[in-house]
Amino acid sequence: MSPPIPPIHKRIFLVAAGDLEGAGSVSTAVRRTLRELGVEPDVVKRAGIVCFEGEMNMVLFSQGGRIILIVREDRVELLFSDRGPGIANIDLARQPGYSTAPDWARELGFGSGLGIPNMEQNSDRFEIHSRVGEGTVIRSTILRGVHDDTGDRGGARA
Amino acid sequence: MTIQAIVEELGLEALVAADLAREVRGGYCSDLLSDVLAHAKAGDLWITHQRHLNVVAVAKLRELSGVICVRGLAPGPDVISRAADEKINLLLTSEDAFEVAGRLHRLLHP
Ligand SMILES: Nc1ncnc2c1ncn2[C@@H]1O[C@H](COP(=O)(O)OP(=O)(O)OP(=O)(O)O)[C@@H](O)[C@H]1O
Ligand SMILES: [Mg+2]
């Protein structure tokens, strides 16, 4: 594999546990940053959704963490890392419909178990690493300049 | 059909009239945020019981034409001002989701 093209932009966002009111703010900032950098609208759209779902999961399930946005000539990368309970069964967590969201979060419309599938669906490459009792790291890569602009796609092309 | 026409036909209250000229593609009924992100289409009107800040975020992310809050479940001032900031049409009806979805469907597919 050839070495990655150096970043043209890198930014770190902190995410606090339980901050549902502020949740979504990283996703908003990421979209604004990408738009300002002239990133393709379809890529901005997908990065926004990936970021929102990752951010919400950190808010709901972890003790806090950070999101790193890296923009390169040919791709956008989002790296989520948190301290927290981790994910014991990653294959299960990736399945649509699997959720351990508490009742109070379900009442607010979380807990359909579609967040991680949405992240995967909107990524070209998607990796989850997790250690129970320590935390979770998720990396999403979205390739630039290879997509149509319909916003609908069949699935992650890993 | 535009949001403006739908607001008039269905007698909706426009809590935030950000862009009433926007074309409505279709509708989507759900109270699950990730479900909307996965399955609603750009231009859809979202019919929901949810009324917190993340509703605005989801509507924005999915490029929905607006949100209809049903059964008179009006969102608070924080949500209304966020929707105004994000230019999301926010509408309110006293009808329940079934009623308003049925009427919207008839309007869009006469
Ligand atoms: N950062 C995380 N730390 C610990 N567990 C997590 C984390 N992210 C996800 N999980 C686990 O994976 C499950 C599936 O996540 P996913 O985002 O797909 O669904 P959800 O958050 O439960 O519901 P939705 O995203 O549809 O609102 C979660 O219920 C939770 O058990
Ligand atoms: Mg989730």
Side-chain angles (χ1 to χ4, degrees), chain A residues 55-133:
Chain A
E55 189 183 352
M56 285 303 159
N57 283 351
M58 279 167 73
V59 167
L60 285 174
F61 302 111
S62 88
Q63 284 146 31
R66 59 187 193 168
I67 300 174
I68 304 177
L69 168 70
I70 300 171
V71 184
R72 302 182 200 276
E73 213 69 63
D74 66 334
R75 71 191 65 187
V76 170
E77 291 165 6
L78 284 161
L79 198 66
F80 306 83
S81 56
D82 67 55
R83 286 161 283 103
I87 301 174
N89 187 337
I90 292 174
D91 288 338
L92 200 55
R94 286 170 102 128
Q95 281 176 23
Y98 175 79
S99 175
T100 62
D103 285 345
W104 65 264
R106 288 176 193 264
E107 276 166 28
L108 295 173
F110 298 97
S112 54
L114 288 174
I116 291 175
N118 276 353
M119 293 175 84
E120 195 155 1
Q121 183 89 12
N122 285 285
S123 304
D124 290 293
R125 282 181 211 138
F126 189 73
E127 290 164 49
I128 304 180
H129 305 276
S130 191
R131 258 200 202 120
V132 172

Side-chain angles (χ1 to χ4, degrees), chain B residues 7-27:
Chain B
V7 163
E8 285 165 16
E9 290 284 341
L10 301 185
L12 307 175
E13 181 184 342
L15 301 172
V16 175
D19 177 14
L20 294 185
R22 177 92 191 261
E23 271 301 308
V24 176
R25 191 209 72 96

Side-chain angles (χ1 to χ4, degrees), chain B residues 13-16 48-56 67-84 88-93:
Chain B
E13 181 184 342
L15 301 172
V16 175
T48 186
H49 297 87
Q50 299 295 350
R51 47 171 167 170
H52 53 85
L53 279 172
N54 287 302
V55 168
V56 178
V67 181
I68 302 181
C69 300
V70 299
R71 251 191 327 102
L73 294 166
D78 53 338
V79 176
I80 290 174
S81 78
R82 179 78 61 89
I88 295 294
N89 293 310
L90 194 59
L91 313 168
L92 179 66
T93 178

